[in-house]
């Protein structure tokens, strides 16, 4: 767990304990339903928790704001971000029921009162949010239309989509026709895993 205080020295002992508990709960849940591969489970903190928290290196969600996590799977990046930002509300959605039930169970076990989880698709939602986060669910051209109308009209600073992706995204961004700003996570994290990992920011219209 030393990676977290190394990169996020402001984390409280309580937050670090929650991250440790998240790993324990996730490991137990992963035995029952395969949320991530076994190899990834061995590197859970680096490849899942720290990767999710890459978004927190790019944006500090203001207190009271609302974040939608689309295609959350096993609660990533939503659960780590909810621990990082306890005064921000996170709504985690996925179309697969057993994954959402696992997320609801883990959020309850950790006492994360700032998390709600629902089995649905992003395009079926009616609620509006300040921010949308996601981890490589689909190509940007496919994904963005699902969430384009999910933003609150007034717009908080930095409102928009924060999308965790890997590899060379030049062609994908061009194809989408979107104005996107790409941040390399290798600027923040020195582990080899982050060499090709990025956060793509697309501002809310």
């Amino acid at each position: 767990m030393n990676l977290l205080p190394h990169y996020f020295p402001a984390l409280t002992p309580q937050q670090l304990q929650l991250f440790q508990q998240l790993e324990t709960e996730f490991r137990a849940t992963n035995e029952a339903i395969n949320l991530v591969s076994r190899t990834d489970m061995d590197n859970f903190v680096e490849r899942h928790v720290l990767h999710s928290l890459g978004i927190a290196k790019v944006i500090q969600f203001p207190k009271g704001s609302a974040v939608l996590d689309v295609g959350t799977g096993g609660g990533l990046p939503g659960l780590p971000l909810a621990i990082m930002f306890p005064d921000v509300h996170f709504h985690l959605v996925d179309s697969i029921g057993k994954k959402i039930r696992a997320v609801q169970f883990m959020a309850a076990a950790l006492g994360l009162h700032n998390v709600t989880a629902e089995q649905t698709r992003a395009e079926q939602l009616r609620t509006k949010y300040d921010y949308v986060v996601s981890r490589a669910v689909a190509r940007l051209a496919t994904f963005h239309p699902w969430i384009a109308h999910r933003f609150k009209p007034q717009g908080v600073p930095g409102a928009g989509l924060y999308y965790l992706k890997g590899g060379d995204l030049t062609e994908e961004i061009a194809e989408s026709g979107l104005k996107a700003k790409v941040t390399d996570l290798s600027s923040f994290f020195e582990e080899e895993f982050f060499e090709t990992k990025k956060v793509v920011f697309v501002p809310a219209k």
Side-chain angles (χ1 to χ4, degrees), residues 157-205:
L161 166 67
Y162 292 83
Y163 205 20
L164 290 161
K165 295 282 278 184
D168 183 358
L169 303 173
T170 320
E171 185 201 331
E172 186 175 334
I173 289 168
E175 170 198 43
S176 73
L178 296 164
K179 267 202 178 111
K181 183 186 177 196
V182 178
T183 304
D184 293 314
L185 287 180
S186 57
S187 315
F188 308 108
F189 307 137
E190 59 208 22
E191 285 68 26
E192 194 183 329
F193 174 75
F194 295 103
E195 274 178 18
T196 60
K197 299 290 185 282
K198 299 168 173 69
V199 176
V200 180
F201 167 58
V202 180
K205 291 243 166 61

Side-chain angles (χ1 to χ4, degrees), residues 7-21:
Y7 288 118
F8 296 95
L11 286 169
T12 66
Q14 188 195 5
Q15 283 173 310
L16 290 170
Q17 193 185 338
L18 281 171
F19 280 122
Q20 207 151 14
Q21 201 183 337

Side-chain angles (χ1 to χ4, degrees), residues 50-65:
L50 198 58
H51 188 211
S52 297
L53 295 180
I55 290 172
K57 289 290 188 187
V58 180
I59 174 83
Q60 288 289 302
F61 298 126
K63 187 176 179 174
S65 56

Side-chain angles (χ1 to χ4, degrees), residues 111-186:
L112 296 176
H113 302 300
N114 60 333
V115 172
T116 51
E118 180 186 2
Q119 182 186 358
T120 186
R121 295 181 182 279
E123 56 272 43
Q124 294 170 330
L125 289 167
R126 290 291 162 261
T127 317
K128 306 276 186 186
Y129 303 86
D130 299 298
Y131 306 96
V132 174
V133 298
S134 189
R135 218 162 70 132
V137 170
R139 284 178 78 82
L140 210 44
T142 306
F143 183 83
H144 195 264
W146 299 343
I147 56 104
H149 305 295
R150 294 278 61 77
F151 296 105
K152 290 180 183 176
Q154 64 275 33
V156 292
L161 166 67
Y162 292 83
Y163 205 20
L164 290 161
K165 295 282 278 184
D168 183 358
L169 303 173
T170 320
E171 185 201 331
E172 186 175 334
I173 289 168
E175 170 198 43
S176 73
L178 296 164
K179 267 202 178 111
K181 183 186 177 196
V182 178
T183 304
D184 293 314
L185 287 180
S186 57

